[in-house]
Amino acid sequence: MYDVVIIGAGPGGYQAALEAGKQDLKTALIEEKKLGGTCLNVGCIPTKLFLGATEPIEEIKSLTRIRLGKGHFDLSVSALLKRKKNLISATQKAIAQTLKKFNIDIFQDKGIFENKTTLKLQKQNISLSFKNAIIATGTSERVIPGLEFDGNLILSSSQILELEDIPPTLAIIGSGPIGLELGQYFSRLGSKIMLIEALDRPAPLEDPDISKEIFKHLKKEKWELYFKSKVKKITIKDKRVFIHLENEIIEADKCLVAIGRLPNTKNIGLEKIDIATNKGFIPVDNYLKASKNIFAIGDVNGKAMLAHAAADQGEYVIRLIANKENSPYFPKTIPSCIYGFPEVISVGKKELDLKGQEYNITKVPLISNPIAQAHGLGNGFIKVIWQKKQVVGISAVGFRVSHLITLATIIVNQKWTKAQVREHIFAHPTLDESLKEALLQ
């Protein structure tokens, strides 16, 4: 009998298995597809690789704009795709080797619950008995009737990562992190981007001033922007894509549909263990329990659909099982980032969360930051939200602001006061000193 069985080997499942090995728990990790899950194989890792490879294009453009010189960078997309494949393969091997070092049993199979203490492996037709189970099955791209992927002209965020030929025009439905990041990659390589969003601004989950800064940059990059625009259907004619809005039709060479993700909770036997989903997500309590001995972590519980949140939840659950933890998981300060340019970070409360409450804001522009100016990329700002003279939220938009996210998380988590800020020396020249300036305004 296993102390723990884990379904899903993405960031949450992997970290749970790794922590279980460290705690000397007999553990089985079950993954139907590939080790690393969505994040490693078709998500955050390849997209950041693509953005990193095309970043010189952005910098050359900025340095040209401020008349420091001219230049051109020709990216080999075929070489980039090969590097992506090699990096993913090497990381998968490293994951497997690390888990085996901790005596984790890895099964490439689909796990289906038979009851609250037994799980069946579909392909191998064997059953595993367990004391505890962790569901970490993640999410898949949301498919909407009329907007179905065809893998050629209408693409999911996974499928578009395999494109070697850069389309002259690319329509993107959805302006969340996936749409913005992939849009920047293709824009840098020459695609004309048409961004379509049902709501009234880009990155609609961020505060309006963040969205406004993103909007300014996208306009400068000559993206065609369509807000408050609902897509009725997509049609194909003569190898072209036609996106039908309520009052017009947009034509493009390719279309990326990036309108959210849905949890992978079907056909894993939840009905056998008396777990009912809510819109596909598995409800959990403050200890991430879906039932007495079964936990749900990461995207599948819908609490925070971020890889680092899943990893943290996985480690927490194992410590709970090993009696090394007894405090509830929630509330938890979870940071988020959007990459490319401009980058966006957010941690803690946003203005959107504080309607009707008293709060104060301090904000500084990045135009005077020496590191941002060194790259000719001084647009953006850092914003701090205060309640009762304590920091409750930090957000920022601009050049490489993701470098601030860990410090910002610590500050929000510890609810720093201005006196606590003054206890620390912030190095110069860094982006961090603009964070200090925002904190002490």
Side-chain angles (χ1 to χ4, degrees):
M1 176 177 282
Y2 285 97
D3 294 309
V4 189
V5 296
I6 303 164
I7 309 177
Y14 168 69
Q15 286 299 141
L18 189 59
E19 182 67 22
K22 294 176 181 178
Q23 298 293 341
D24 292 324
L25 298 175
K26 187 178 180 183
T27 303
L29 179 63
I30 302 156
E31 172 55 54
E32 185 179 5
K33 297 178 181 178
K34 297 177 180 179
L35 290 176
T38 296
C39 182
L40 171 61
N41 294 285
V42 290
C44 34
I45 299 305
T47 55
K48 304 314 168 286
L49 184 67
F50 285 12
L51 287 171
T54 54
E55 189 171 294
I57 298 171
E58 190 79 50
E59 292 222 17
I60 290 170
K61 189 187 302 180
S62 298
L63 296 174
T64 302
R65 179 178 51 80
I66 59 177
R67 300 177 183 178
L68 291 183
K70 294 181 180 179
H72 187 73
F73 176 64
D74 286 316
L75 177 75
S76 169
V77 178
S78 60
L80 178 60
L81 293 177
K82 183 178 179 180
R83 182 164 187 256
K84 172 177 75 78
K85 181 179 178 181
N86 291 340
L87 176 65
I88 291 171
S89 177
T91 306
Q92 289 169 343
K93 289 178 182 176
I95 288 172
Q97 289 171 357
T98 301
L99 292 174
K100 287 176 182 177
K101 185 174 72 174
F102 285 96
N103 299 313
I104 307 300
D105 292 336
I106 303 172
F107 298 92
Q108 186 171 2
D109 210 325
K110 181 179 179 65
I112 302 172
F113 287 102
E114 294 182 311
N115 54 53
K116 294 180 181 180
T117 58
T118 310
L119 184 143
K120 183 178 181 179
L121 300 183
Q122 188 178 54
K123 294 177 185 177
Q124 299 177 52
N125 195 29
I126 60 174
S127 295
L128 306 179
S129 298
F130 59 84
K131 297 176 183 177
N132 301 278
I134 299 174
I135 303 170
T137 46
T139 55
S140 298
E141 293 101 334
R142 185 182 180 196
V143 180
I144 292 180
L147 311 184
E148 295 91 348
F149 316 124
D150 71 354
N152 180 27
L153 299 178
I154 306 170
L155 302 168
S156 69
S157 59
S158 302
Q159 294 165 342
I160 203 167
L161 295 174
E162 300 302 320
L163 278 189
E164 186 167 344
D165 296 324
I166 303 302
T169 56
L170 174 64
I172 299 175
I173 304 173
S175 71
I178 295 172
L180 291 174
E181 291 181 6
L182 288 171
Q184 288 184 68
Y185 165 70
F186 283 99
S187 177
R188 290 170 179 178
L189 293 179
S191 294
K192 172 72 175 179
I193 304 297
M194 293 161 279
L195 183 67
I196 304 161
E197 170 60 54
L199 299 177
D200 62 350
R201 54 194 174 89
L205 297 182
E206 304 298 330
D207 277 334
D209 54 354
I210 297 282
S211 295
K212 184 178 180 181
E213 195 67 33
I214 295 172
F215 176 85
K216 285 161 53 180
H217 177 74
L218 299 182
K219 289 291 286 186
K220 189 168 69 175
E221 293 298 311
K222 296 182 170 52
W223 289 26
E224 289 184 12
L225 304 174
Y226 300 84
F227 296 110
K228 296 182 180 179
S229 299
K230 293 185 178 180
V231 179
K232 297 171 65 178
K233 63 178 179 179
I234 302 175
T235 57
I236 296 172
K237 183 179 180 181
D238 298 328
K239 297 182 180 180
R240 300 280 291 171
V241 184
F242 296 85
I243 298 97
H244 298 252
L245 308 181
E246 292 178 336
N247 298 311
E248 61 183 310
I249 298 174
I250 299 169
E251 182 180 352
D253 294 284
K254 303 276 187 183
C255 179
L256 166 65
V257 181
I259 47 177
R261 301 180 65 84
L262 294 176
N264 298 323
T265 51
K266 291 183 178 179
N267 304 316
I268 60 171
L270 294 183
E271 68 283 356
K272 299 285 186 65
I273 53 176
D274 300 325
I275 291 178
T277 60
N278 182 8
K279 296 181 180 179
F281 294 98
I282 298 176
V284 294
D285 64 13
N286 285 338
Y287 294 86
L288 300 174
K289 286 186 176 185
S291 66
K292 184 178 179 181
N293 66 323
I294 298 174
F295 303 79
I297 63 170
D299 289 9
V300 80
N301 65 32
K303 296 294 184 180
M305 297 173 70
L306 297 162
H308 47 275
D312 189 69
Q313 291 174 18
E315 292 178 356
Y316 164 84
V317 166
I318 294 300
R319 294 197 304 272
L320 199 67
I321 291 170
N323 296 316
K324 300 293 176 66
E325 180 72 67
N326 55 23
S327 300
Y329 185 79
F330 298 108
K332 193 84 171 182
T333 303
I334 301 174
S336 65
C337 304
I338 301 175
Y339 294 88
F341 184 82
E343 291 187 339
V344 176
I345 64 167
S346 179
V347 60
K349 295 181 180 179
K350 303 174 184 177
E351 287 189 77
L352 293 172
D353 304 322
L354 297 172
K355 290 181 180 179
Q357 300 181 40
E358 289 188 10
Y359 63 92
N360 298 314
I361 289 177
T362 53
K363 182 189 289 190
V364 298
L366 289 173
I367 192 71
S368 61
N369 184 274
I371 295 299
Q373 281 295 353
H375 294 264
L377 295 166
N379 297 327
F381 58 83
I382 299 173
K383 179 174 71 173
V384 182
I385 299 178
W386 303 79
Q387 285 188 308
K388 298 179 180 179
K389 299 183 179 181
Q390 295 178 320
V391 177
V392 296
I394 295 175
S395 57
V397 55
F399 174 72
R400 293 185 183 171
V401 294
S402 64
H403 292 201
L404 301 173
I405 190 60
T406 300
L407 176 58
T409 302
I410 292 169
I411 291 170
V412 171
N413 196 44
Q414 296 181 354
K415 297 182 178 179
W416 279 20
T417 62
K418 291 183 186 295
Q420 286 173 284
V421 178
R422 292 189 179 97
E423 292 174 2
H424 303 277
I425 297 174
F426 288 61
H428 171 81
T430 61
L431 286 173
D432 302 64
E433 60 189 313
S434 288
L435 175 57
K436 179 182 180 181
E437 185 182 351
L439 289 162
L440 291 179
Q441 253 202 356

